[in-house]
Amino acid sequence: MKGGGLRAPTFNFFKKKIMKRFLKVDSGVLVEAANVAKLATSGSDTVITVNWDSASDGVDTFTVTGAAGAAYLERLAEAINYSTQLIIDAANV
Amino acid sequence: MKKFLKINTGASGATGEGALYALDRVESISLDTTDNAIDVEGFGGAKAVDLSFSVVADKEAEAAEELVKEIVNGKNNVIDALNFSKNILGPEITAAYTADAVVTGAAITADVAGAFIGCTFAATLTDSADATLTDSGTFSAADAPALSFDDTGATLTAGAGATIVVDISYPNRNEVAKSITVAVTLT
């Protein structure tokens, strides 16, 4: 073969980077989205439950005032997965 | 992708506002063959079962496997707990039927403990002579709904030995998620 033989195939490895996202809840607390265990509604608010450390039963709940409803929770779940924002304002998704 | 299991609130889990459970937080799934259910832990409870699913009788192991497959391989962002598995019927209906031990004729009514909003029911009252009355419909109230049997033209045998059987199903599903039998006395 002319021209120096076979050319080694080129592989482009793009390591998919998982974006760390944070949910901004009441009082300005930023909750890492990966720690969210449950999204629920309480009256007119959203309640976010977080398991900090399952071994020691570390559980916290955070409130997002004025945002609630099944459809809203689904939007919030979508934002947790696909938002381009590093900090997601949980009251406005 | 962080996947969520969608379960509506209220005793039935069939209608109403939703709650989303993050599937990556599941810590354990155990089989409850006594109640035809699987128990899942890991959504923020203090090391207690966070939610239970009613499953097809004797299909607890298959149901648990389907849930695991959904956790690992599911493609959807939000998974509806009522629709993703043929063996998982929906959130477990745990409340017991609380008919009074004595049920009076004329307008025979009996109460169910807890609400099953959105769930359908089919109830049969059978007296000691095997005469029956039926009632069916959809639970629509948040408080304990009453069963009401129309005894017009019926002749029932008074006394002990009567039963009320209530079969409860989730909307758009044919399987009975909970069947409750209570012994009653007709007076």
Side-chain angles (χ1 to χ4, degrees):
Chain A
M1 186 181 294
K2 217 174 170 183
L6 292 173
R7 186 173 179 179
T10 302
F11 295 100
N12 290 318
F13 292 101
F14 293 102
K15 189 176 180 183
K16 193 173 182 182
K17 192 174 180 181
I18 306 284
M19 184 172 159
K20 214 176 181 67
R21 299 182 180 90
F22 290 80
L23 294 176
K24 183 179 180 184
V25 299
D26 284 6
S27 304
V29 176
L30 300 179
V31 178
E32 189 184 350
N35 289 326
V36 170
K38 182 182 175 185
L39 305 172
T41 58
S42 173
S44 59
D45 301 333
T46 291
V47 177
I48 299 173
T49 304
V50 173
N51 283 5
W52 293 113
D53 181 355
S54 59
S56 59
D57 295 340
V59 176
D60 279 330
T61 58
F62 301 92
T63 302
V64 180
T65 304
Y72 191 83
L73 294 187
E74 293 197 31
R75 290 212 302 277
L76 193 53
E78 189 175 341
I80 286 173
N81 281 302
Y82 303 118
S83 174
T84 57
Q85 304 295 314
L86 177 62
I87 295 174
I88 301 164
D89 184 352
N92 293 290
V93 294
Chain B
M1 182 167 73
K2 192 174 178 78
K3 286 171 266 189
F4 291 86
L5 192 62
K6 178 184 176 184
I7 295 176
N8 290 322
T9 54
S12 75
T15 61
E17 294 297 310
L20 304 183
Y21 293 78
L23 287 173
D24 62 341
R25 309 306 290 184
V26 170
E27 295 173 353
S28 70
I29 303 170
S30 55
L31 312 185
D32 179 356
T33 54
T34 302
D35 296 325
N36 299 131
I38 57 173
D39 299 332
V40 186
E41 180 191 313
F43 303 114
K47 304 306 284 183
V49 170
D50 289 306
L51 61 93
S52 298
F53 293 104
S54 285
V55 304
V56 175
D58 301 323
K59 294 290 184 184
E60 292 85 1
E62 289 89 338
E65 191 174 323
E66 286 175 358
L67 180 56
V68 169
K69 285 179 178 172
E70 194 66 37
I71 291 170
V72 176
N73 299 323
K75 300 275 190 288
N76 294 323
N77 203 25
V78 177
I79 300 155
D80 189 335
L82 289 177
N83 294 322
F84 80 94
S85 161
K86 64 179 171 33
N87 288 315
I88 297 175
L89 303 178
E92 185 181 14
I93 299 169
T94 56
Y97 190 71
T98 57
D100 288 333
V102 176
V103 179
T104 305
I108 299 173
T109 61
D111 289 337
V112 176
F116 307 96
I117 300 172
C119 285
T120 58
F121 69 91
T124 302
L125 185 157
T126 305
D127 70 5
S128 57
D130 290 336
T132 60
L133 294 177
T134 61
D135 183 27
S136 62
T138 301
F139 292 124
S140 59
D143 54 356
L147 303 174
S148 179
F149 298 95
D150 181 3
D151 62 351
T152 305
T155 302
L156 296 177
T157 301
T163 59
I164 294 175
V165 177
V166 187
D167 290 338
I168 302 171
S169 301
Y170 280 101
N172 304 317
R173 300 202 65 154
N174 295 324
E175 306 93 331
V176 174
K178 191 80 171 184
S179 184
I180 302 159
T181 302
V182 179
V184 294
T185 297
L186 299 176
T187 61

